[in-house]
């Protein structure tokens, strides 16, 4: 069962959040959704999580679903939103897991809420723009590189680009397409729900992810697991390799044969990793 509610913030914004209450939960995990998605917790992981005593809490990032916009938000702003939801639910400490565009937002919580975040899983995420020693755009599918270059120019340029471009299915590997047709078909439901709400959340995510994050991964004090498919065409695995080298307590699982989505087949093992760390 997934409960949904709205949280009114002091700045006038509203966050729409989700909760899967578990009696005597061993661990609460905050889910940071991809782009474009809404924030419903990852359905394929709910049954194995219940078996392990894991409670999921998640939310629609500003501009998605039921959450109001937060103009000019950066990646770091996720930490304040998560802290507000955790306070409202009476949760003092938790782990975080993010996939794709949600990965940097999970890292923000780890960096900026050091007394609350116990451990982090960051899957298929990009490194900060301008990361020293990383050929940042190398390995991106052409359409993805064009989109992110437009995001660097600002929200208006990105909106113009999105209005005239189409997603190239070749960005996904064969393994990704198989995952989307099988166990992870759930992702299509949260993508469609996000798209139905307009491009605002997606534009804000892209602009934030290629802008200044507002924190340094080197400041993360707790364990981080980077999970990435070696064949990822949407975000090249070199990004997680860079992040792992620049995060003090990092481990990386680079999965041969996996792409951007199919790497989520390792998510249950990543939950076990979180339990071990917490």
């Amino acid at each position: 069962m997934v409960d949904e509610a709205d949280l009114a913030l002091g700045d006038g914004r509203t966050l729409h959040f989700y909760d899967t209450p578990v009696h005597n939960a061993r661990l609460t995990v905050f889910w940071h959704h991809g782009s474009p998605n809404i924030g419903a917790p990852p359905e394929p992981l709910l049954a194995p999580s219940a078996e392990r005593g894991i409670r999921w809490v998640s939310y629609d990032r500003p501009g998605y679903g039921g959450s109001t916009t937060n103009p000019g938000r950066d990646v770091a702003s996720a930490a304040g939103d998560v802290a507000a939801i955790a306070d409202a639910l009476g949760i003092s400490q938790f782990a975080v897991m993010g996939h794709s565009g949600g990965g940097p937002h999970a890292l923000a919580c780890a960096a900026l809420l050091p007394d609350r975040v116990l451990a982090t899983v960051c899957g298929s995420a990009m490194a900060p723009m301008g990361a020293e020693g990383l050929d940042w755009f190398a390995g991106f599918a052409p359409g993805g590189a064009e989109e992110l270059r437009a995001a660097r120019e600002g929200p208006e340029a990105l909106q113009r680009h999105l209005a005239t471009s189409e997603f190239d299915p070749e960005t996904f590997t064969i393994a990704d397409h198989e995952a989307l047709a099988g166990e992870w078909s759930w992702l299509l439901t949260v993508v469609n729900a996000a798209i139905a709400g307009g491009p605002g959340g997606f534009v804000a995510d892209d602009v934030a992810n290629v802008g200044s994050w507002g924190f340094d991964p080197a400041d993360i004090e707790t364990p981080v697991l980077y999970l990435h498919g070696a064949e990822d065409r949407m975000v090249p695995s070199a990004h997680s390799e860079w992040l792992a080298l620049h995060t003090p307590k990092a481990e990386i699982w680079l999965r041969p044969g996996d792409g951007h989505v199919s790497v989520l087949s390792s998510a249950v093992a990543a939950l076990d990793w979180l339990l071990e760390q917490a």
Side-chain angles (χ1 to χ4, degrees):
M1 180 181 69
V2 179
D3 294 334
E4 300 185 39
D6 292 327
L7 176 65
L9 302 179
D11 61 4
R13 293 188 294 122
T14 297
L15 292 175
H16 186 74
F17 69 91
Y18 308 77
D19 185 14
T20 62
V22 174
H23 182 64
N24 292 328
R26 295 172 62 195
L27 179 66
T28 295
V29 179
F30 268 81
W31 170 251
H32 292 266
H33 63 81
S35 310
N37 294 180
I38 60 168
E43 187 175 287
L45 299 181
L46 297 187
S49 296
E51 294 169 0
R52 289 162 171 78
I54 292 174
R55 174 187 183 182
W56 287 96
V57 178
S58 56
Y59 72 109
D60 300 333
R61 276 195 300 279
Y64 285 110
S67 293
T68 51
T69 60
N70 182 10
R73 64 176 167 93
D74 60 7
V75 175
S77 65
D81 288 347
V82 165
I85 295 169
D87 289 345
L89 294 174
I91 302 169
S92 59
Q93 291 186 303
F94 45 87
V96 290
M97 177 183 284
H99 178 247
S100 190
H105 295 82
L107 295 177
C109 295
L112 300 174
L113 303 173
D115 296 330
R116 305 189 76 166
V117 174
L118 301 168
T120 302
V121 173
C122 179
S124 307
M126 64 183 69
M129 178 66 72
E132 186 176 358
L134 176 66
D135 187 352
W136 204 90
F137 283 103
F140 276 94
E146 291 172 7
E147 173 194 313
L148 294 169
R149 286 192 171 97
R152 285 287 291 164
E153 298 177 22
E156 293 81 10
L158 179 56
Q159 287 174 336
R160 289 195 299 270
H161 172 79
L162 294 174
T164 58
S165 64
E166 294 184 0
F167 179 74
D168 179 4
E170 293 299 315
T171 301
F172 286 143
T173 66
I174 292 174
D176 286 332
H177 286 291
E178 290 174 347
L180 287 168
E183 181 183 15
W184 284 93
S185 60
W186 164 83
L187 276 172
L188 300 176
T189 66
V190 292
V191 168
N192 290 335
I195 292 173
F202 184 44
V203 168
D205 268 357
D206 264 9
V207 171
N209 280 332
V210 301
S212 176
W213 283 5
F215 69 95
D216 188 336
D219 294 334
I220 300 175
E221 301 173 356
T222 48
V224 179
L225 172 62
Y226 291 102
L227 179 63
H228 217 117
E231 309 304 320
D232 194 334
R233 298 172 187 164
M234 182 165 284
V235 178
S237 60
H239 284 242
S240 279
E241 294 179 87
W242 187 95
L243 284 163
L245 285 173
H246 292 82
T247 306
K249 297 181 180 179
E251 183 175 342
I252 185 168
W253 293 356
L254 193 59
R255 297 308 203 204
D258 272 327
H260 195 72
V261 175
S262 66
V263 75
L264 290 170
S265 62
S266 296
V268 173
L271 291 178
D272 289 333
W273 181 91
L274 282 177
L275 287 169
E276 292 172 5
Q277 304 305 316

